[in-house]
Amino acid sequence: MGGFINRPIQPLQQSKVDQALVKMIATDFQPFTIVEDRGFRAYTAALDPSYVLPSRGTISKRMLPNLFEKVRAELQEQIRTAPAVCLTTDCWTSNTTTSYMSVTCHYITDFKLRSNLLDCFVVAESHTSQNLAQELSRVAKEWGIQDKIAACVTDNASNIVKAVNDILKWNHVRCFAHLLNLTVRSSVHQTEIQALILKVKSIAEYVRRSTVASAKLREMQLQMGQVQLRMKQDVATRWNSTDFMMQRAIEIKEPLVSTMALLNPLLPALTPEEWDITKEVCDILKPFEEVTVEMSSERFVTGSKAILMARGLQRIVAHRQRNPSTHEPVKGMVNFLAADLEKRFGQIERVRVLAEATLLDPRFKKHAFVIERNAEETVSRVVGAATHAATPTLPSTEEEEEEEGGTTVNPPSEPVPQFWADFEERVTTLRPGVQNPSTGAMLEIKGFLAEPLIPRKADPLEWWRVRALVYQNICTVMKTRLCIVATSVPSEHVFSKTGQIITDRRNRLSPSKVRELVFLNANL
């Protein structure tokens, strides 16, 4: 047999490999200088000696921008066909003190929930409401979605709330996870609970910092037949990291207590009662952590769960109040949680877009509402929106009417008031030839609500895919509501990746390069 013949790489193949290289740099956070590394050059030469690696300048100045524009154009075309979108936005400051703003987009296409990053850019001006509104408006216009925004989800900062609500006049939804964060952090800031957390934190810092303490802890875990687990440390901006730290301390309590007793550091030790309080606090916060994780998903419908999650947490805390702890700090924490949940989520059924999303989710419908009146008002709004969707567009000129044979099109029907709804529904079949969009919408919603609920873990969009022709007008409204996400976590996740791109080794990247890399990393 003949030996291996090294044929020169063809232009088309060269371009294909070049594009794969750029995608690797974007998706794996590799520096452009990787093409100059001796090991990488030797590796690519071993794969194909005829392949010519492009220079880092070529990658940065030509190949990366070209791929960015290509992917961006493809996404613009895809998003343009979406009936409605939900936006999330957040701001972040890098270690180079550069301020960035991210905007993500969530929409339903082919009965699947899609999520994309629209932009991540530098905000050079101060973060006033007017400046933030201008940036959001610019992004919406660039993507052609200014008339499709069903809602915009942000944190609780007054500047962004004013920008979305008062200036842009978009439906604003406060980030569910951020509201929970505020509630929990406030509840654990009580004097007794905070003192306890500081004790656990000082122990965690000592064990993680001291190689002797870390080694002794591992040794004690082995002696006690336990899995070797490290202490966790909290992060000031995330309440769940404090919860994780305390949970880990409870998990390794025995070996940890033994380690501290042997090393005898100058740290305050937890009393038996304080260990009991720590465990109770963790038990109380566990449902909050579980809800935060579930509501932060980007792959599944979440906006329709907000009412249920809020009411569920309120019921759990109310149960704790009816069965109070023997420890006063814990009782105080539970009472604070109950009051703060009511303050932040007591009126959540009145948040229209969330209520409508809940009603149109075949897993929940009216059964998610605690107050019947709120459910009925939501039904009326959905019927009105479905009526509007079913109403044909009128010809704009007399000439257009004449082209249709001189017939006059009836003006669009207004939503039927509730006190006429029953009568209209009963007599509609007695009026031959009369097409009443309002009655059709009412019949659709009645049929939809009469259907059995689907399992909680089932995909509501798959259910709608099967029923789309049965409930055509309600389905149209559904696509503008189930695209709404419950949190602004998608925008925050962008900055986690941005922090990996902007490192001490790569702190000279221009804002335009950061924008391109972050966009490609999120959307490839």
Side-chain angles (χ1 to χ4, degrees):
M1 294 179 64
F4 172 75
I5 299 175
N6 181 28
R7 295 186 179 87
I9 191 168
Q10 299 300 311
L12 186 61
Q13 184 68 10
Q14 173 83 30
S15 175
K16 184 178 179 181
V17 177
D18 285 349
Q19 189 169 81
L21 173 65
V22 179
K23 288 181 178 179
M24 181 203 71
I25 287 173
T27 55
D28 294 344
F29 307 116
Q30 296 292 347
F32 299 131
T33 54
I34 190 174
V35 296
E36 298 174 349
D37 292 345
R38 286 190 303 167
F40 184 73
R41 295 182 71 86
Y43 174 69
T44 54
L47 289 175
D48 188 344
S50 65
Y51 174 64
V52 180
L53 273 168
S55 68
R56 66 173 179 176
T58 299
I59 294 173
S60 172
K61 296 176 183 177
R62 180 170 61 82
M63 294 167 61
L64 186 76
N66 287 348
L67 181 61
F68 169 78
E69 293 299 337
K70 177 177 179 289
V71 174
R72 195 169 189 269
E74 290 171 352
L75 278 181
Q76 280 182 320
E77 189 60 33
Q78 180 175 304
I79 292 173
R80 192 172 287 117
T81 64
V85 301
C86 171
L87 302 182
T88 79
T89 186
D90 198 11
C91 293
W92 171 76
T93 302
S94 72
N95 58 6
T96 61
T97 66
T98 304
S99 181
Y100 288 86
M101 185 175 189
S102 66
V103 182
T104 70
C105 176
H106 310 266
Y107 54 99
I108 294 171
T109 180
D110 296 328
F111 294 95
K112 297 289 184 184
L113 182 64
R114 313 287 183 184
S115 297
N116 293 112
L117 172 66
L118 299 187
D119 213 338
C120 181
F121 51 91
V122 169
V123 182
E125 304 294 331
S126 59
H127 290 194
T128 64
S129 299
Q130 192 65 47
N131 288 337
L132 295 179
Q134 286 177 357
E135 294 289 3
L136 287 173
S137 179
R138 173 188 62 78
V139 172
K141 287 177 182 176
E142 285 181 4
W143 285 83
I145 57 173
Q146 59 267 46
D147 298 323
K148 295 183 178 184
I149 299 170
C152 183
V153 186
T154 77
D155 63 20
N156 213 32
S158 59
N159 55 349
I160 191 64
V161 172
K162 182 178 179 182
V164 174
N165 255 338
D166 301 338
I167 300 176
L168 295 172
K169 307 295 184 183
W170 294 347
N171 285 325
H172 178 255
V173 175
R174 296 175 189 266
C175 171
F176 195 93
H178 187 255
L179 291 175
L180 280 189
N181 177 59
L182 294 174
T183 294
V184 174
R185 292 206 75 84
S186 297
S187 73
V188 299
H189 274 171
Q190 297 177 86
T191 304
E192 298 90 340
I193 302 293
Q194 194 60 31
L196 179 60
I197 292 173
L198 289 175
K199 279 189 177 184
V200 177
K201 184 175 181 178
S202 63
I203 294 172
E205 289 176 344
Y206 168 73
V207 172
R208 289 176 62 88
R209 186 175 62 247
S210 169
T211 55
V212 174
S214 296
K216 181 59 68 176
L217 177 60
R218 290 194 297 271
E219 181 185 327
M220 295 305 300
Q221 288 172 328
L222 282 173
Q223 288 181 13
M224 296 181 180
Q226 294 189 9
V227 178
Q228 291 182 321
L229 299 173
R230 297 182 64 196
M231 280 294 292
K232 291 186 177 181
Q233 198 164 344
D234 71 338
V235 180
T237 56
R238 297 193 179 277
W239 72 266
N240 51 359
S241 66
T242 303
D243 186 37
F244 293 154
M245 177 185 71
M246 296 173 71
Q247 286 180 18
R248 179 53 55 85
I250 292 294
E251 287 179 274
I252 60 173
K253 173 187 172 184
E254 299 305 326
L256 183 61
V257 169
S258 298
T259 298
M260 300 303 288
L262 286 170
L263 297 179
N264 195 26
L266 297 176
L267 293 173
L270 274 70
T271 65
E273 182 183 18
E274 287 176 327
W275 278 111
D276 291 342
I277 293 174
T278 301
K279 187 176 186 313
E280 279 199 63
V281 169
C282 289
D283 290 342
I284 292 167
L285 294 184
K286 184 178 179 181
F288 287 83
E289 167 58 23
E290 292 171 341
V291 167
T292 299
V293 171
E294 180 158 344
M295 297 295 277
S296 300
S297 171
E298 297 177 48
R299 297 173 53 210
F300 305 105
V301 173
T302 56
S304 60
K305 297 180 183 177
I307 291 174
L308 280 158
M309 295 294 102
R311 296 299 187 230
L313 289 173
Q314 286 182 302
R315 281 192 291 270
I316 290 170
V317 173
H319 177 74
R320 289 269 181 183
Q321 284 183 304
R322 291 192 298 271
N323 301 273
S325 168
T326 57
H327 303 291
E328 288 301 321
V330 176
K331 284 166 58 176
M333 176 184 172
V334 169
N335 290 335
F336 185 94
L337 284 172
D340 210 63
L341 283 172
E342 178 59 30
K343 171 187 170 185
R344 299 188 191 279
F345 298 105
Q347 296 297 313
I348 194 168
E349 291 182 14
R350 306 288 294 174
V351 180
R352 292 191 169 194
V353 289
L354 295 181
E356 290 159 19
T358 302
L359 182 80
L360 291 168
D361 192 318
R363 298 171 296 177
F364 312 132
K365 302 182 185 178
K366 292 168 65 175
H367 303 281
F369 293 82
V370 172
I371 301 172
E372 179 66 20
R373 183 186 64 189
N374 292 337
E376 293 304 328
E377 288 177 356
T378 304
V379 170
S380 295
R381 290 197 304 272
V382 170
V383 168
T387 299
H388 180 75
T391 302
T393 304
L394 288 175
S396 57
T397 64
E398 292 182 3
E399 289 75 17
E400 288 175 336
E401 291 181 6
E402 291 172 1
E403 288 175 5
E404 294 295 326
T407 58
T408 303
V409 180
N410 291 328
S413 299
E414 295 294 326
V416 175
Q418 282 186 334
F419 48 82
W420 280 114
D422 178 66
F423 175 77
E424 287 291 329
E425 185 178 323
R426 284 188 284 111
V427 304
T428 182
T429 57
L430 303 178
R431 296 172 177 162
V434 176
Q435 297 295 321
N436 190 321
S438 295
T439 304
M442 285 189 290
L443 290 172
E444 281 193 24
I445 198 71
K446 182 177 181 180
F448 167 71
L449 293 175
E451 294 236 25
L453 296 182
I454 64 174
R456 178 175 55 84
K457 293 187 177 181
D459 182 358
L461 296 179
E462 177 60 23
W463 186 93
W464 274 107
R465 184 187 68 79
V466 176
R467 302 296 201 285
L469 293 178
V470 179
Y471 307 114
Q472 290 186 32
N473 300 310
I474 300 295
C475 184
T476 300
V477 181
M478 176 278 298
K479 291 177 182 177
T480 70
R481 291 297 176 258
L482 293 193
C483 65
I484 297 172
V485 294
T487 75
S488 58
V489 168
S491 288
E492 296 176 23
H493 281 170
V494 171
F495 296 132
S496 298
K497 295 179 179 180
T498 308
Q500 292 177 271
I501 292 173
I502 306 173
T503 63
D504 291 336
R505 288 182 59 201
R506 306 180 70 189
N507 58 16
R508 295 175 63 186
L509 279 174
S510 67
S512 63
K513 285 291 165 279
V514 172
R515 179 180 180 235
E516 291 167 355
L517 285 167
V518 173
F519 179 87
L520 289 172
N521 179 274
N523 292 317
L524 281 175

